Amino acid sequence: MAGPVSLFVAALVEAVGLRVYWSSVFALIAEQADGAATDQWFARAGMIRAAGTGAGTVLAGVLLALASQHAYRGMVLADAISFVVAAVTVGLFVRGARRPAGGPDGQPSEAVRHLLRNRPYLGLIGVNVLFNICTVSLAVGVPVYVIRGLRAPDWAVGAFLTITTVVVATCTAEVTPRSRRRTSRGGAMAWGGRLWAAWCVATAMAVLLPRGPLLVGYLALVMLLWATAEMLHGPASNALSAEAAPPGVRGTYLAAFQYSFATADMVTPGLFGVLYGVNRVLPWVVVGCLALTASMAIRPLERRLTVGGAAGGLRA
C-alpha cells in the first residue's frame, strides 16, 4: 500500500500547491503592476506559462521515451529543485504591498461574506467557467477527436499542440496591447469567445474532409483560431478580475476567481466524454454554444463590475 498511498499524497500536495500558487500569483501581479500595465504583465505571465508548459512537455516526453527509472527520478528531482529555487527567488526579491492593520484580508470569514454578496463578481466567475471550458477542450477533446474521430495520424496531435503553444508563448504580448487599444477587457473576452465558437465550428467541419495531408493542414490552420482566442481572453480575464476586486479583499476575490479554472478542469472531461459518446461532432456544437453564451454575457457584467471600463474603437 505504500506505493498507492504515497502517490495519492503526492498528487494531493501537488493539487493544493497548484491552487495556492495560482490564487496568489495573480494577486501579486495585480499589486506589482500599474493599472495601465496590468494587462501586459498578465500577458507576459501567460507567455511564460505556455513556454514552460511546452518545454516541460517536450522534456518529459524525451525522458519517458528513455524508459529508465533513473530518468524518471531525475525528472522528479529536477522539478523539486526548480520549485525550491523559484520559492527562494520570490522570497528574497519580491515584496508584496503592505496591508493596513485590521483590514478585511486579515479576516477570511468577513472577506468571504463580502464576496458572496457581490453578485456581479460571482457572475464573472461563472461566465469564466464557460470560457475556460473552451481552453480545456483543446487538451481534452482534440486528441480523442483527431485520432479516433477523424483517423488522423497520431503525430498530428503533438504538432497541433506545439503550434498553439508556440503562438501563445511568442505572440500574446503583441496581441494584448493591440486589443486593449480597440476594446475593453470584457470586449476582448467577448471576441475571444467568438473565435472559440468559430474554432469549434471549423473543428466540427473537419469530418467533411478526406483523410490525408489536406485534413492535417486544415486542422493546423484551425488551431490558430484557438490560439488567438486564448491570447485575447487570458490576459483580459485576469486583469478584469483584478480590477473588479476591491483592494481590501483582493486576495480572497482572486482566489475565488481561480475556481473558474478548477471547475472547468473538472467538468470538461466528463462533458466531452458524454457528448462524444452520442456523436463525435456534438461536443464542438455544445462548446461553441457555451462560448457564444459567455461572449454575450460578459459585456453586461463588465459594465456592472467597472465604471468607465468600455474603450473606444472596435465594439464587441
Side-chain angles (χ1 to χ4, degrees):
M1 293 296 293
V5 171
S6 62
L7 182 61
F8 172 79
V9 172
L12 179 62
V13 171
E14 187 272 343
V16 172
L18 190 66
R19 294 274 65 88
V20 171
Y21 170 76
W22 288 116
S23 298
S24 305
V25 68
F26 290 132
L28 182 61
I29 292 173
E31 284 182 351
Q32 300 292 324
D34 296 328
T38 303
D39 300 76
Q40 195 69 355
W41 279 110
F42 280 124
R44 293 181 182 124
M47 291 173 65
I48 293 170
R49 180 184 184 183
T53 301
T57 301
V58 172
L59 179 60
V62 171
L63 293 177
L64 290 173
L66 297 176
S68 166
Q69 291 293 332
H70 295 297
Y72 301 157
R73 294 191 181 99
M75 179 171 60
V76 174
L77 179 61
D79 265 348
I81 293 173
S82 68
F83 290 141
V84 171
V85 171
V88 170
T89 302
V90 171
L92 291 177
F93 299 106
V94 180
R95 291 288 179 268
R98 291 183 176 273
R99 303 189 186 282
D105 261 352
Q107 303 170 15
S109 60
E110 182 180 335
V112 171
R113 285 195 294 269
H114 190 283
L115 169 66
L116 294 177
R117 291 193 297 267
N118 192 331
R119 292 185 179 179
Y121 200 91
L122 295 177
L124 174 64
I125 295 173
V127 167
N128 208 49
V129 171
L130 304 183
F131 282 122
N132 285 321
I133 287 175
C134 302
T135 295
V136 180
S137 292
L138 176 72
V140 170
V142 166
V144 176
Y145 179 69
V146 169
I147 295 174
R148 296 181 58 184
L150 300 176
R151 305 296 181 185
D154 294 354
W155 57 263
V157 172
F160 298 153
L161 297 180
T162 299
I163 289 171
T164 57
T165 299
V166 170
V167 171
V168 173
T170 57
C171 301
T172 304
E174 183 65 24
V175 170
T176 297
R178 290 178 181 271
S179 69
R180 286 294 288 121
R181 286 196 292 268
R182 290 168 172 79
T183 188
S184 66
R185 289 161 178 160
M189 294 171 68
W191 278 105
R194 293 177 188 131
L195 287 174
W196 268 321
W199 170 67
C200 289
V201 171
T203 301
M205 291 178 63
V207 298
L208 303 176
L209 297 178
R211 294 171 57 188
L214 177 62
L215 174 63
V216 174
Y218 170 80
L219 289 172
L221 292 175
V222 167
M223 292 302 129
L224 297 178
L225 289 172
W226 184 95
T228 305
E230 178 69 15
M231 290 187 290
L232 287 170
H233 168 266
S237 63
N238 288 315
L240 179 60
S241 69
E243 178 190 18
V249 289
R250 178 172 288 164
T252 299
Y253 271 59
L254 294 185
F257 187 69
Q258 291 304 303
Y259 282 107
S260 65
F261 299 92
T263 302
D265 287 340
M266 292 186 294
V267 168
T268 306
L271 176 66
F272 183 88
V274 170
L275 296 174
Y276 187 86
V278 176
N279 186 284
R280 59 180 174 171
V281 171
L282 187 57
W284 307 112
V285 175
V286 172
V287 173
C289 291
L290 293 179
L292 289 177
T293 300
S295 298
M296 291 185 289
I298 188 60
R299 288 307 295 271
L301 272 175
E302 182 188 32
R303 285 191 287 269
R304 295 180 64 187
L305 287 164
T306 62
V307 179
L314 179 66
R315 301 182 68 86

